[in-house]
Coordinates of all heavy atoms in Angstrom, one line a residue:
Chain A
M259 N 29.4 107.8 26.9 CA 30.7 106.9 26.7 C 31.1 106.3 28.0 O 32.0 106.8 28.7 CB 31.8 108.0 26.2 CG 31.6 108.5 24.8 SD 33.2 109.3 24.2 CE 33.3 110.6 25.3
Q263 N 35.8 106.0 31.8 CA 36.3 105.7 33.1 C 37.1 104.5 33.2 O 38.3 104.4 33.7 CB 35.2 105.6 34.1 CG 35.6 105.6 35.6 CD 36.5 106.8 35.9 OE1 36.1 107.9 35.4 NE2 37.4 106.6 36.7
E267 N 41.3 103.8 34.0 CA 41.7 102.9 34.9 C 42.7 102.1 34.4 O 43.7 101.6 34.9 CB 40.5 102.0 35.3 CG 39.7 102.6 36.6 CD 38.4 102.1 36.6 OE1 38.3 100.8 36.3 OE2 37.5 102.8 37.1
R270 N 45.9 103.6 34.3 CA 46.5 103.7 35.4 C 47.3 102.4 35.8 O 48.3 102.5 36.5 CB 45.5 103.9 36.6 CG 46.0 104.6 37.8 CD 45.0 105.0 38.8 NE 44.1 105.9 38.3 CZ 42.7 105.8 38.5 NH1 42.3 104.8 39.2 NH2 41.9 106.9 38.1
D704 N 46.0 125.2 30.2 CA 44.8 125.7 30.7 C 43.7 124.6 30.8 O 43.0 124.5 31.7 CB 44.2 127.0 29.9 CG 45.1 128.2 30.4 OD1 45.7 128.2 31.4 OD2 45.0 129.2 29.5
F707 N 44.8 122.1 33.5 CA 44.5 122.6 34.8 C 43.0 122.6 35.1 O 42.6 122.2 36.2 CB 45.0 124.0 35.0 CG 44.8 124.7 36.3 CD1 45.0 124.0 37.5 CD2 44.1 126.0 36.4 CE1 44.8 124.5 38.6 CE2 43.8 126.5 37.6 CZ 44.1 125.9 38.8
Y708 N 42.2 123.0 34.1 CA 40.7 122.9 34.4 C 40.3 121.6 34.7 O 39.5 121.5 35.7 CB 40.0 123.4 33.0 CG 38.5 123.6 33.2 CD1 38.0 124.7 33.7 CD2 37.6 122.6 32.8 CE1 36.7 124.9 33.8 CE2 36.3 122.7 32.8 CZ 35.8 123.9 33.4 OH 34.4 124.1 33.5
T710 N 42.2 118.9 35.9 CA 42.6 118.6 37.2 C 42.0 119.2 38.4 O 41.7 118.8 39.5 CB 44.2 118.7 37.3 OG1 44.4 120.1 37.0 CG2 44.8 117.8 36.4
Q711 N 41.5 120.6 38.2 CA 40.9 121.3 39.2 C 39.5 120.6 39.5 O 38.9 120.7 40.6 CB 40.7 122.7 38.9 CG 40.4 123.7 40.0 CD 39.4 123.3 40.8 OE1 38.1 123.4 40.5 NE2 39.5 123.2 42.3
R712 N 39.0 119.8 38.6 CA 37.8 119.1 38.6 C 38.0 117.8 39.3 O 37.0 117.0 39.3 CB 37.0 119.1 37.4 CG 36.6 120.4 36.9 CD 35.8 121.2 37.8 NE 35.2 122.5 37.1 CZ 35.5 123.6 37.4 NH1 36.3 123.9 38.5 NH2 35.0 124.8 37.0
G713 N 39.2 117.4 39.5 CA 39.4 116.1 40.2 C 40.1 115.0 39.3 O 40.4 113.9 39.7
L714 N 40.3 115.2 38.0 CA 40.9 114.3 37.2 C 42.5 114.4 37.3 O 43.0 115.5 37.5 CB 40.6 114.6 35.7 CG 39.2 114.6 35.3 CD1 39.0 115.0 33.9 CD2 38.6 113.2 35.5
S715 N 43.1 113.2 37.2 CA 44.6 113.3 37.2 C 45.1 113.8 35.8 O 44.3 113.8 34.8 CB 45.3 111.9 37.4 OG 44.9 111.1 36.3
L722 N 40.8 112.1 28.3 CA 39.5 112.6 28.0 C 39.5 113.6 26.9 O 38.7 113.5 26.0 CB 38.9 113.3 29.3 CG 37.6 113.8 29.4 CD1 36.6 112.5 29.6 CD2 37.2 114.8 30.4
G726 N 37.8 113.1 23.1 CA 36.9 114.0 22.6 C 37.3 114.4 21.2 O 36.5 114.5 20.3
K729 N 36.4 111.7 18.6 CA 35.1 111.2 18.6 C 34.5 111.0 17.2 O 33.8 109.9 17.1 CB 34.3 112.2 19.4 CG 33.0 111.5 20.0 CD 32.2 112.4 20.8 CE 30.9 112.7 20.2 NZ 30.2 114.0 20.8
Chain B
K137 N 47.4 125.8 40.3 CA 47.8 125.9 39.0 C 49.3 125.9 39.0 O 49.9 126.6 39.6 CB 47.2 127.3 38.4 CG 47.4 127.3 37.0 CD 46.7 128.5 36.4 CE 47.1 128.5 34.8 NZ 46.4 129.6 34.1
D160 N 44.3 117.9 41.7 CA 43.1 116.9 41.6 C 42.9 116.4 43.2 O 41.8 116.1 43.5 CB 43.4 115.7 40.7 CG 44.8 115.1 40.8 OD1 45.7 115.8 40.9 OD2 44.8 113.8 40.7
A163 N 41.0 119.1 44.7 CA 39.5 119.1 44.3 C 38.8 118.0 45.1 O 37.8 118.3 45.6 CB 39.5 118.8 42.9
V167 N 38.1 121.6 47.4 CA 38.5 123.0 46.9 C 37.9 123.1 45.4 O 38.2 122.1 44.7 CB 39.9 123.2 46.8 CG1 40.2 124.6 46.2 CG2 40.4 123.1 48.2
F168 N 37.0 124.0 45.2 CA 36.5 124.3 43.9 C 36.8 125.7 43.4 O 36.5 126.6 44.1 CB 34.9 124.0 43.9 CG 34.3 124.0 42.5 CD1 34.2 123.0 41.7 CD2 33.9 125.3 42.1 CE1 33.6 123.1 40.4 CE2 33.3 125.5 40.7 CZ 33.1 124.4 40.0
L169 N 37.2 125.7 42.1 CA 37.5 127.0 41.6 C 36.5 127.2 40.4 O 36.7 126.5 39.4 CB 39.0 127.2 41.1 CG 39.3 128.5 40.3 CD1 39.1 129.7 41.1 CD2 40.7 128.4 39.8
P178 N 36.3 120.3 23.1 CA 35.4 119.7 22.0 C 35.3 118.2 22.1 O 36.3 117.5 22.4 CB 36.3 120.2 20.8 CG 37.1 121.2 21.2 CD 37.4 120.8 22.7
G179 N 34.2 117.7 21.7 CA 34.0 116.2 21.6 C 33.7 115.5 22.8 O 33.3 114.4 22.9
V180 N 33.8 116.1 24.1 CA 33.5 115.6 25.3 C 32.2 116.2 25.8 O 32.1 117.3 26.2 CB 34.7 115.9 26.4 CG1 34.3 115.3 27.7 CG2 35.9 115.4 25.9
F185 N 31.8 114.6 30.9 CA 32.8 115.3 31.9 C 32.4 115.3 33.3 O 33.3 115.0 34.2 CB 33.0 116.7 31.3 CG 34.1 117.5 32.1 CD1 35.3 117.3 31.9 CD2 33.7 118.5 32.9 CE1 36.4 118.0 32.5 CE2 34.6 119.3 33.6 CZ 35.9 119.0 33.4
A189 N 34.5 113.4 36.2 CA 35.2 114.1 37.3 C 34.6 113.9 38.7 O 35.4 113.7 39.6 CB 34.9 115.7 37.0
A192 N 36.0 110.5 39.8 CA 37.5 110.7 40.1 C 37.6 111.1 41.6 O 38.3 110.7 42.3 CB 38.2 111.5 39.1
Q193 N 36.7 112.2 41.8 CA 36.8 112.7 43.2 C 36.4 111.7 44.2 O 37.0 111.5 45.3 CB 35.9 114.0 43.3 CG 36.4 115.2 42.6 CD 35.7 116.5 42.8 OE1 35.0 116.6 43.9 NE2 35.7 117.5 41.9
K195 N 36.3 108.6 44.0 CA 37.4 107.5 44.2 C 38.5 108.0 45.0 O 39.0 107.1 45.9 CB 37.9 107.1 42.8 CG 38.3 105.7 42.7 CD 38.5 105.3 41.2 CE 39.0 103.8 41.3 NZ 39.3 103.4 39.9
E242 N 29.7 126.3 35.3 CA 30.6 126.3 36.4 C 29.8 126.1 37.8 O 30.2 125.4 38.7 CB 31.4 127.7 36.6 CG 32.3 127.9 35.5 CD 33.5 126.9 35.4 OE1 34.4 127.1 36.2 OE2 33.5 126.0 34.6
Q245 N 28.6 122.6 38.2 CA 29.6 121.7 38.6 C 29.8 121.9 40.2 O 29.9 121.0 41.0 CB 30.9 121.9 38.0 CG 30.8 121.6 36.5 CD 32.1 121.8 35.7 OE1 33.1 121.4 36.1 NE2 32.0 122.6 34.6

Side-chain angles (χ1 to χ4, degrees):
Chain A
M259 291 198 297
Q263 194 54 38
E267 275 158 31
R270 205 179 293 139
D704 285 345
F707 176 54
Y708 187 83
T710 53
Q711 206 299 305
R712 299 301 189 244
L714 300 176
S715 67
L722 193 75
K729 198 175 117 197
Chain B
K137 188 173 184 182
D160 49 322
V167 175
F168 183 91
L169 171 62
V180 178
F185 180 74
Q193 291 190 23
K195 207 167 179 188
E242 295 294 286
Q245 294 179 53

